[in-house]
Coordinates of all heavy atoms in Angstrom, one line a residue:
M1 N 5.6 0.3 -14.9 CA 4.8 0.0 -13.9 C 5.5 -0.3 -12.6 O 6.6 -1.0 -12.7 CB 4.0 -1.3 -14.2 CG 3.1 -1.8 -13.2 SD 1.7 -0.8 -12.6 CE 0.8 -0.6 -14.1
N2 N 5.2 0.2 -11.5 CA 5.8 0.0 -10.2 C 4.9 -0.8 -9.3 O 3.6 -0.4 -9.2 CB 6.1 1.4 -9.5 CG 7.2 2.0 -10.3 OD1 8.3 1.8 -10.1 ND2 6.8 3.0 -11.1
I3 N 5.3 -1.8 -8.7 CA 4.5 -2.6 -7.8 C 5.2 -2.6 -6.5 O 6.4 -3.0 -6.5 CB 4.3 -4.0 -8.3 CG1 3.5 -3.9 -9.6 CG2 3.4 -4.8 -7.3 CD1 3.4 -5.2 -10.3
S4 N 4.6 -2.2 -5.3 CA 5.2 -2.3 -4.1 C 4.4 -3.1 -3.1 O 3.2 -3.0 -3.1 CB 5.5 -0.9 -3.5 OG 4.3 -0.1 -3.6
G5 N 5.1 -3.8 -2.3 CA 4.5 -4.5 -1.2 C 4.6 -3.7 0.2 O 5.7 -3.1 0.4
I6 N 3.6 -3.4 0.8 CA 3.5 -2.5 2.0 C 2.9 -3.2 3.2 O 1.9 -3.8 3.1 CB 2.8 -1.2 1.6 CG1 3.4 -0.5 0.4 CG2 2.6 -0.3 2.8 CD1 2.6 0.6 -0.1
L7 N 3.6 -3.0 4.3 CA 3.0 -3.5 5.6 C 2.4 -2.3 6.2 O 3.1 -1.2 6.4 CB 4.2 -4.0 6.5 CG 3.8 -4.2 8.0 CD1 2.7 -5.3 8.1 CD2 5.0 -4.6 8.8
V8 N 1.2 -2.4 6.6 CA 0.4 -1.3 7.3 C 0.1 -1.9 8.7 O -0.4 -3.0 8.8 CB -0.9 -0.9 6.5 CG1 -1.7 0.1 7.3 CG2 -0.5 -0.5 5.1
V9 N 0.2 -1.1 9.7 CA -0.2 -1.4 11.0 C -1.1 -0.4 11.6 O -0.9 0.8 11.5 CB 1.0 -1.6 12.0 CG1 0.6 -2.0 13.4 CG2 2.1 -2.5 11.4
T10 N -2.2 -0.9 12.2 CA -3.2 0.0 12.8 C -3.6 -0.7 14.1 O -3.3 -1.9 14.3 CB -4.5 0.1 11.9 OG1 -5.4 1.1 12.4 CG2 -5.2 -1.2 11.7
A11 N -4.3 0.0 14.9 CA -4.9 -0.6 16.2 C -5.8 -1.7 15.8 O -6.7 -1.5 14.9 CB -5.5 0.5 17.1
P12 N -5.8 -2.8 16.5 CA -6.8 -3.9 16.1 C -8.2 -3.4 16.0 O -8.9 -3.9 15.1 CB -6.6 -4.9 17.2 CG -5.2 -4.7 17.6 CD -4.9 -3.2 17.6
D13 N -8.6 -2.5 16.9 CA -10.1 -2.0 16.8 C -10.3 -1.2 15.6 O -11.5 -0.8 15.3 CB -10.5 -1.4 18.1 CG -9.6 -0.2 18.5 OD1 -8.5 -0.1 18.0 OD2 -10.1 0.7 19.3
N14 N -9.3 -0.7 14.9 CA -9.4 0.1 13.6 C -9.3 -0.7 12.4 O -9.3 -0.1 11.3 CB -8.3 1.2 13.6 CG -8.5 2.3 14.6 OD1 -9.7 2.6 15.1 ND2 -7.4 3.0 15.0
M15 N -9.1 -2.0 12.5 CA -8.9 -2.9 11.4 C -9.9 -2.7 10.2 O -9.5 -2.4 9.1 CB -8.8 -4.3 11.8 CG -8.5 -5.3 10.7 SD -6.9 -5.2 9.9 CE -5.9 -5.9 11.1
D16 N -11.2 -2.8 10.5 CA -12.2 -2.9 9.5 C -12.3 -1.5 8.8 O -12.3 -1.5 7.6 CB -13.5 -3.2 10.1 CG -13.7 -4.6 10.5 OD1 -12.8 -5.5 10.1 OD2 -14.5 -4.9 11.4
A17 N -12.1 -0.4 9.6 CA -12.2 0.9 8.9 C -10.9 1.2 8.1 O -11.1 1.8 7.0 CB -12.4 2.0 10.0
T18 N -9.8 0.7 8.6 CA -8.6 0.9 7.8 C -8.6 0.1 6.5 O -8.2 0.6 5.4 CB -7.3 0.6 8.7 OG1 -7.4 1.4 9.8 CG2 -6.0 0.8 7.9
V19 N -9.0 -1.1 6.5 CA -9.1 -1.9 5.4 C -10.1 -1.3 4.4 O -9.8 -1.2 3.2 CB -9.5 -3.4 5.7 CG1 -9.9 -4.1 4.5 CG2 -8.4 -4.1 6.5
A20 N -11.2 -0.8 4.9 CA -12.1 -0.2 4.0 C -11.5 1.0 3.2 O -11.7 1.3 2.0 CB -13.4 0.2 4.8
R21 N -10.8 1.8 4.0 CA -10.1 3.0 3.4 C -9.1 2.7 2.4 O -9.0 3.3 1.3 CB -9.5 3.9 4.5 CG -10.4 4.7 5.4 CD -9.7 5.6 6.4 NE -10.6 6.1 7.3 CZ -10.8 5.6 8.5 NH1 -10.1 4.7 9.0 NH2 -11.6 6.2 9.3
L22 N -8.3 1.7 2.7 CA -7.3 1.2 1.7 C -7.9 0.7 0.5 O -7.4 0.9 -0.6 CB -6.5 0.1 2.4 CG -5.5 0.6 3.5 CD1 -4.9 -0.6 4.3 CD2 -4.4 1.4 3.0
Q23 N -9.0 -0.1 0.6 CA -9.6 -0.7 -0.6 C -10.2 0.4 -1.5 O -10.4 0.2 -2.7 CB -10.7 -1.7 -0.2 CG -10.2 -2.9 0.4 CD -11.2 -3.9 1.0 OE1 -12.2 -3.5 1.5 NE2 -10.9 -5.2 0.8
Q24 N -10.5 1.6 -0.9 CA -11.1 2.7 -1.7 C -10.0 3.4 -2.5 O -10.3 4.2 -3.5 CB -11.8 3.7 -0.9 CG -13.0 3.1 -0.3 CD -13.7 4.1 0.7 OE1 -13.2 5.1 1.0 NE2 -14.9 3.7 1.1
M25 N -8.7 3.1 -2.2 CA -7.6 3.9 -2.8 C -7.3 3.2 -4.2 O -7.3 1.9 -4.3 CB -6.4 3.9 -1.9 CG -6.5 4.7 -0.7 SD -5.1 4.6 0.4 CE -4.0 5.6 -0.6
E26 N -7.0 4.0 -5.2 CA -6.7 3.5 -6.5 C -5.4 2.8 -6.5 O -4.3 3.2 -5.8 CB -6.5 4.7 -7.5 CG -6.3 4.3 -8.9 CD -6.3 5.4 -9.9 OE1 -6.9 6.5 -9.6 OE2 -5.7 5.2 -11.0
G27 N -5.3 1.6 -7.0 CA -4.0 0.8 -7.2 C -3.7 -0.1 -6.0 O -2.7 -0.7 -6.0
I28 N -4.6 0.0 -5.0 CA -4.3 -0.8 -3.8 C -5.1 -2.1 -3.7 O -6.3 -2.1 -4.0 CB -4.7 0.0 -2.5 CG1 -3.8 1.3 -2.4 CG2 -4.5 -0.8 -1.2 CD1 -2.4 1.1 -2.1
D29 N -4.4 -3.2 -3.5 CA -5.0 -4.5 -3.2 C -4.7 -4.9 -1.8 O -3.5 -5.0 -1.5 CB -4.6 -5.5 -4.2 CG -5.2 -5.3 -5.6 OD1 -6.4 -5.0 -5.7 OD2 -4.4 -5.4 -6.6
V30 N -5.7 -5.3 -1.0 CA -5.4 -5.8 0.4 C -5.3 -7.4 0.2 O -6.2 -8.0 -0.3 CB -6.6 -5.5 1.4 CG1 -6.3 -6.2 2.7 CG2 -6.6 -3.9 1.5
H31 N -4.2 -7.9 0.7 CA -3.9 -9.3 0.5 C -4.1 -10.1 1.8 O -4.4 -11.3 1.7 CB -2.5 -9.6 0.0 CG -2.4 -9.1 -1.4 ND1 -2.8 -9.7 -2.6 CD2 -1.9 -7.9 -1.9 CE1 -2.6 -9.0 -3.7 NE2 -2.1 -7.9 -3.3
H32 N -3.8 -9.6 2.9 CA -3.9 -10.3 4.1 C -4.1 -9.3 5.3 O -3.5 -8.2 5.3 CB -2.5 -11.0 4.4 CG -2.5 -11.8 5.7 ND1 -3.2 -13.0 5.9 CD2 -1.9 -11.5 6.9 CE1 -3.0 -13.5 7.1 NE2 -2.2 -12.6 7.7
T33 N -4.9 -9.8 6.3 CA -5.1 -9.0 7.5 C -4.9 -9.9 8.7 O -5.2 -11.1 8.6 CB -6.5 -8.4 7.6 OG1 -7.5 -9.4 7.5 CG2 -6.7 -7.4 6.4
D34 N -4.4 -9.3 9.8 CA -4.2 -10.1 11.0 C -4.8 -9.2 12.1 O -4.1 -8.3 12.7 CB -2.7 -10.4 11.3 CG -2.6 -11.3 12.5 OD1 -3.3 -12.3 12.8 OD2 -1.6 -11.0 13.4
A35 N -6.1 -9.4 12.4 CA -6.8 -8.6 13.3 C -6.2 -8.4 14.7 O -6.1 -7.3 15.3 CB -8.2 -9.0 13.4
P36 N -5.7 -9.6 15.4 CA -5.2 -9.4 16.7 C -3.9 -8.5 16.8 O -3.7 -7.8 17.8 CB -4.8 -10.8 17.0 CG -5.6 -11.7 16.2 CD -5.8 -11.0 15.0
T37 N -3.1 -8.4 15.6 CA -1.9 -7.6 15.7 C -2.1 -6.2 14.9 O -1.3 -5.4 15.0 CB -0.8 -8.3 15.1 OG1 -1.0 -8.5 13.7 CG2 -0.5 -9.6 15.8
G38 N -3.3 -6.1 14.2 CA -3.5 -4.9 13.4 C -2.7 -4.8 12.2 O -2.6 -3.7 11.6
R39 N -2.1 -5.9 11.7 CA -1.2 -5.9 10.6 C -2.1 -6.1 9.3 O -2.9 -7.1 9.2 CB -0.1 -6.9 10.7 CG 0.9 -6.6 11.8 CD 1.9 -7.6 11.9 NE 2.9 -7.2 13.0 CZ 3.7 -8.0 13.5 NH1 3.8 -9.2 13.2 NH2 4.5 -7.5 14.5
I40 N -1.7 -5.4 8.2 CA -2.4 -5.5 7.0 C -1.3 -5.6 5.9 O -0.4 -4.7 5.9 CB -3.3 -4.3 6.7 CG1 -4.3 -4.2 7.8 CG2 -4.0 -4.5 5.3 CD1 -4.9 -2.8 7.8
I41 N -1.3 -6.5 5.0 CA -0.4 -6.6 3.9 C -1.1 -6.2 2.6 O -2.2 -6.7 2.3 CB 0.2 -8.0 3.7 CG1 0.8 -8.5 5.0 CG2 1.1 -8.1 2.5 CD1 2.0 -7.8 5.4
I42 N -0.5 -5.2 1.9 CA -1.2 -4.7 0.7 C -0.1 -4.7 -0.4 O 1.1 -4.6 -0.2 CB -1.8 -3.3 0.8 CG1 -0.7 -2.2 1.2 CG2 -2.8 -3.3 2.0 CD1 -1.2 -0.8 1.2
T43 N -0.6 -4.5 -1.7 CA 0.2 -4.2 -2.8 C -0.3 -2.9 -3.4 O -1.6 -2.6 -3.3 CB 0.4 -5.3 -3.9 OG1 -1.0 -5.6 -4.3 CG2 1.1 -6.5 -3.4
Q44 N 0.6 -2.1 -3.9 CA 0.2 -0.9 -4.6 C 0.8 -0.8 -6.0 O 2.0 -1.2 -6.2 CB 0.8 0.3 -3.8 CG 0.6 1.7 -4.5 CD 1.3 2.7 -3.8 OE1 0.7 3.7 -3.3 NE2 2.7 2.7 -3.7
E45 N 0.0 -0.6 -7.0 CA 0.5 -0.5 -8.4 C 0.5 1.0 -8.7 O -0.6 1.7 -8.4 CB -0.4 -1.2 -9.4 CG -0.3 -2.6 -9.3 CD -1.0 -3.3 -10.5 OE1 -1.2 -2.8 -11.5 OE2 -1.4 -4.5 -10.2
A46 N 1.5 1.6 -9.3 CA 1.6 3.0 -9.7 C 2.4 3.1 -11.0 O 3.2 2.3 -11.3 CB 2.4 3.7 -8.5
K47 N 2.1 4.1 -11.8 CA 2.7 4.3 -13.1 C 4.1 4.7 -12.9 O 4.9 4.4 -13.7 CB 1.9 5.3 -13.9 CG 0.6 4.8 -14.3 CD -0.1 5.8 -15.2 CE -1.5 5.2 -15.6 NZ -2.2 6.1 -16.5
T48 N 4.4 5.6 -12.0 CA 5.8 6.1 -11.8 C 6.3 5.9 -10.3 O 5.5 5.7 -9.4 CB 5.9 7.6 -12.1 OG1 5.1 8.3 -11.1 CG2 5.3 7.8 -13.5
I49 N 7.6 6.0 -10.1 CA 8.1 6.0 -8.8 C 7.5 7.1 -7.9 O 7.2 7.0 -6.8 CB 9.7 6.0 -8.8 CG1 10.1 4.6 -9.4 CG2 10.2 6.2 -7.4 CD1 11.6 4.6 -9.6
H50 N 7.4 8.3 -8.5 CA 6.8 9.4 -7.8 C 5.5 9.2 -7.3 O 5.1 9.4 -6.2 CB 6.8 10.7 -8.8 CG 6.2 11.9 -8.2 ND1 6.8 12.5 -7.1 CD2 5.1 12.6 -8.6 CE1 6.0 13.5 -6.8 NE2 5.1 13.6 -7.7
D51 N 4.6 8.5 -8.2 CA 3.2 8.1 -7.9 C 3.2 7.1 -6.7 O 2.4 7.1 -5.8 CB 2.5 7.6 -9.1 CG 2.2 8.6 -10.1 OD1 2.2 9.8 -9.8 OD2 1.9 8.2 -11.3
E52 N 4.2 6.2 -6.7 CA 4.3 5.2 -5.8 C 4.7 5.8 -4.4 O 4.0 5.5 -3.4 CB 5.4 4.2 -6.2 CG 5.7 3.1 -5.3 CD 6.8 2.1 -5.9 OE1 7.7 2.6 -6.5 OE2 6.7 1.0 -5.6
V53 N 5.6 6.7 -4.3 CA 6.0 7.3 -3.1 C 4.8 8.2 -2.6 O 4.5 8.2 -1.4 CB 7.3 8.2 -3.3 CG1 7.5 9.0 -2.1 CG2 8.4 7.3 -3.6
D54 N 4.1 8.9 -3.5 CA 2.9 9.7 -3.1 C 1.9 8.8 -2.5 O 1.2 9.2 -1.5 CB 2.4 10.5 -4.3 CG 3.2 11.7 -4.6 OD1 4.1 12.1 -3.8 OD2 3.0 12.3 -5.6
G55 N 1.7 7.6 -3.1 CA 0.7 6.6 -2.5 C 1.0 6.3 -1.1 O 0.2 6.2 -0.2
L56 N 2.3 5.9 -0.9 CA 2.7 5.5 0.4 C 2.5 6.7 1.4 O 2.1 6.4 2.5 CB 4.2 5.1 0.4 CG 4.8 4.6 1.7 CD1 4.0 3.5 2.3 CD2 6.3 4.2 1.5
K57 N 2.9 7.9 1.0 CA 2.7 9.1 1.9 C 1.2 9.2 2.2 O 0.8 9.5 3.3 CB 3.2 10.3 1.2 CG 4.7 10.4 1.1 CD 5.2 11.7 0.5 CE 6.6 11.8 0.4 NZ 7.1 13.0 -0.3
Q58 N 0.4 9.0 1.3 CA -1.1 9.2 1.5 C -1.6 8.1 2.4 O -2.4 8.4 3.4 CB -1.9 9.0 0.1 CG -3.4 9.2 0.3 CD -4.1 9.1 -1.0 OE1 -3.5 8.8 -2.1 NE2 -5.3 9.3 -1.0
I59 N -1.1 6.8 2.4 CA -1.5 5.8 3.3 C -1.1 6.2 4.6 O -1.8 6.0 5.6 CB -0.9 4.4 2.8 CG1 -1.5 3.9 1.5 CG2 -1.0 3.4 3.9 CD1 -0.7 2.8 0.9
R60 N 0.1 6.7 4.8 CA 0.6 7.1 6.2 C -0.2 8.2 6.8 O -0.3 8.3 8.0 CB 2.1 7.6 6.0 CG 3.0 6.4 5.8 CD 4.4 7.0 5.7 NE 5.4 5.8 5.5 CZ 6.6 6.0 5.1 NH1 7.0 7.2 4.6 NH2 7.4 4.9 5.0
T61 N -1.0 8.9 6.0 CA -1.8 10.0 6.6 C -3.2 9.5 6.9 O -4.0 10.3 7.5 CB -1.9 11.2 5.7 OG1 -2.6 10.9 4.5 CG2 -0.5 11.7 5.4
L62 N -3.6 8.3 6.6 CA -4.9 7.9 6.9 C -5.1 7.8 8.4 O -4.3 7.5 9.2 CB -5.1 6.5 6.3 CG -5.2 6.3 4.7 CD1 -5.3 4.9 4.3 CD2 -6.4 7.1 4.2
P63 N -6.4 8.0 8.8 CA -6.7 8.0 10.3 C -6.4 6.6 10.8 O -6.7 5.6 10.2 CB -8.2 8.2 10.3 CG -8.6 8.9 9.0 CD -7.6 8.5 8.0
G64 N -5.8 6.5 12.0 CA -5.5 5.3 12.7 C -4.3 4.5 12.2 O -4.0 3.4 12.8
I65 N -3.6 5.0 11.2 CA -2.3 4.3 10.8 C -1.2 4.5 11.8 O -0.8 5.6 12.1 CB -1.8 4.8 9.4 CG1 -2.9 4.5 8.3 CG2 -0.5 4.2 9.0 CD1 -3.2 3.1 8.1
I66 N -0.7 3.4 12.2 CA 0.5 3.5 13.2 C 1.8 3.4 12.4 O 2.8 4.1 12.7 CB 0.4 2.3 14.2 CG1 -0.8 2.4 15.1 CG2 1.7 2.3 15.0 CD1 -1.1 1.3 16.0
L67 N 1.8 2.6 11.4 CA 3.0 2.3 10.6 C 2.5 2.0 9.1 O 1.6 1.2 9.0 CB 3.8 1.2 11.2 CG 5.0 0.7 10.5 CD1 6.2 1.6 10.7 CD2 5.4 -0.7 10.7
A68 N 3.3 2.4 8.2 CA 3.1 2.0 6.8 C 4.5 2.0 6.2 O 5.1 3.1 6.0 CB 2.2 2.9 5.9
E69 N 5.1 0.9 5.9 CA 6.4 0.8 5.3 C 6.4 -0.1 4.1 O 5.9 -1.2 4.1 CB 7.4 0.2 6.4 CG 7.6 1.1 7.5 CD 8.3 2.4 7.2 OE1 9.2 2.4 6.2 OE2 8.0 3.5 7.8
M70 N 7.1 0.3 3.1 CA 7.4 -0.5 1.9 C 8.4 -1.6 2.2 O 9.5 -1.3 2.7 CB 7.9 0.4 0.7 CG 7.9 -0.3 -0.6 SD 8.5 0.7 -1.9 CE 7.4 2.1 -1.9
S71 N 8.0 -2.8 1.9 CA 9.0 -3.9 2.1 C 9.4 -4.6 0.9 O 10.2 -5.4 0.9 CB 8.3 -5.0 3.1 OG 7.1 -5.5 2.4
Y72 N 8.8 -4.1 -0.3 CA 9.1 -4.8 -1.6 C 8.8 -3.8 -2.7 O 7.9 -3.1 -2.6 CB 8.3 -6.0 -1.8 CG 8.4 -6.6 -3.2 CD1 9.5 -7.5 -3.4 CD2 7.5 -6.4 -4.2 CE1 9.7 -8.1 -4.7 CE2 7.7 -7.0 -5.4 CZ 8.7 -7.8 -5.7 OH 8.9 -8.3 -6.9
H73 N 9.7 -3.8 -3.7 CA 9.5 -2.9 -4.8 C 9.9 -3.6 -6.1 O 10.9 -4.2 -6.1 CB 10.3 -1.6 -4.7 CG 10.3 -0.8 -5.9 ND1 9.3 0.0 -6.3 CD2 11.3 -0.7 -6.9 CE1 9.6 0.6 -7.5 NE2 10.9 0.2 -7.9
H74 N 9.0 -3.5 -7.0 CA 9.3 -4.1 -8.4 C 9.0 -3.1 -9.5 O 7.9 -2.4 -9.4 CB 8.5 -5.3 -8.6 CG 8.7 -5.9 -10.0 ND1 9.8 -6.7 -10.3 CD2 7.9 -5.8 -11.1 CE1 9.7 -7.0 -11.6 NE2 8.6 -6.6 -12.1
F75 N 9.9 -2.9 -10.4 CA 9.8 -1.9 -11.4 C 9.9 -2.7 -12.8 O 10.8 -3.4 -13.0 CB 10.8 -0.8 -11.4 CG 10.9 0.1 -12.5 CD1 9.9 1.0 -12.8 CD2 11.8 -0.1 -13.5 CE1 9.9 1.9 -13.9 CE2 11.8 0.7 -14.6 CZ 11.0 1.7 -14.8
E76 N 8.9 -2.4 -13.7 CA 9.0 -2.9 -15.0 C 8.8 -1.8 -16.1 O 7.9 -1.0 -15.9 CB 7.8 -4.0 -15.1 CG 8.2 -5.4 -15.4 CD 7.0 -6.2 -15.5 OE1 6.2 -6.1 -16.5 OE2 6.9 -7.2 -14.8
E77 N 9.7 -1.7 -17.0 CA 9.6 -0.7 -18.0 C 8.5 -1.1 -19.0 O 8.4 -2.4 -19.3 CB 10.9 -0.5 -18.7 CG 11.9 0.2 -17.9 CD 13.1 0.7 -18.6 OE1 13.0 1.0 -19.8 OE2 14.2 0.6 -18.0
D78 N 7.7 -0.2 -19.6 CA 6.7 -0.5 -20.6 C 7.4 -0.4 -21.9 O 7.8 0.6 -22.4 CB 5.6 0.5 -20.5 CG 4.5 0.2 -21.5 OD1 4.6 -0.8 -22.2 OD2 3.6 1.0 -21.6
H79 N 7.6 -1.5 -22.6 CA 8.3 -1.7 -23.9 C 7.3 -1.6 -25.1 O 7.8 -1.9 -26.2 CB 9.2 -2.8 -23.9 CG 10.3 -2.9 -23.0 ND1 11.3 -2.1 -23.0 CD2 10.4 -3.6 -21.8 CE1 12.1 -2.3 -22.0 NE2 11.6 -3.2 -21.2
S80 N 6.1 -1.4 -24.8 CA 5.1 -1.4 -25.9 C 5.1 -0.2 -26.7 O 4.5 -0.1 -27.8 CB 3.6 -1.6 -25.3 OG 3.3 -0.5 -24.4
N81 N 5.8 0.9 -26.3 CA 5.9 2.1 -27.1 C 6.9 2.1 -28.1 O 8.0 1.8 -27.9 CB 6.0 3.4 -26.1 CG 4.7 3.5 -25.3 OD1 3.6 3.1 -25.6 ND2 4.9 4.1 -24.1

């Protein structure tokens, strides 16, 4: 399991629409928004590093995104198999 913390920045007037788009994405949780600055803090859960990178790339292509940068990454191996 891969968990990443991501800072997303959008124009303040795009905040609501951007948050709604992010919440529709699989594995994304929105944790904090700062409307005056357009900053959004999210976490993303993904099965593989490849999926994690693809998710970040997808976030970057959303309408109104100015910036989306990973600021934290955590990897845990699944030892249940």
Side-chain angles (χ1 to χ4, degrees):
M1 175 65 59
N2 292 279
I3 300 171
S4 52
I6 300 172
L7 169 65
V8 178
V9 180
T10 189
D13 58 338
N14 289 333
M15 177 69 75
D16 292 339
T18 300
V19 168
R21 286 184 191 103
L22 290 166
Q23 289 174 329
Q24 292 174 355
M25 296 178 68
E26 185 176 339
I28 299 292
D29 288 317
V30 176
H31 295 280
H32 179 74
T33 60
D34 185 43
T37 64
R39 293 180 180 161
I40 306 165
I41 304 296
I42 65 173
T43 55
Q44 172 188 243
E45 286 188 27
K47 290 184 181 183
T48 67
I49 291 174
H50 178 64
D51 293 340
E52 182 179 32
V53 171
D54 283 349
L56 180 58
K57 288 179 182 177
Q58 184 180 2
I59 292 166
R60 287 178 175 160
T61 66
L62 293 175
I65 297 296
I66 296 170
L67 173 85
E69 292 296 328
M70 187 180 305
S71 61
Y72 174 81
H73 169 78
H74 176 77
F75 171 76
E76 244 178 60
E77 290 189 37
D78 183 5
H79 296 290
S80 63
N81 295 332

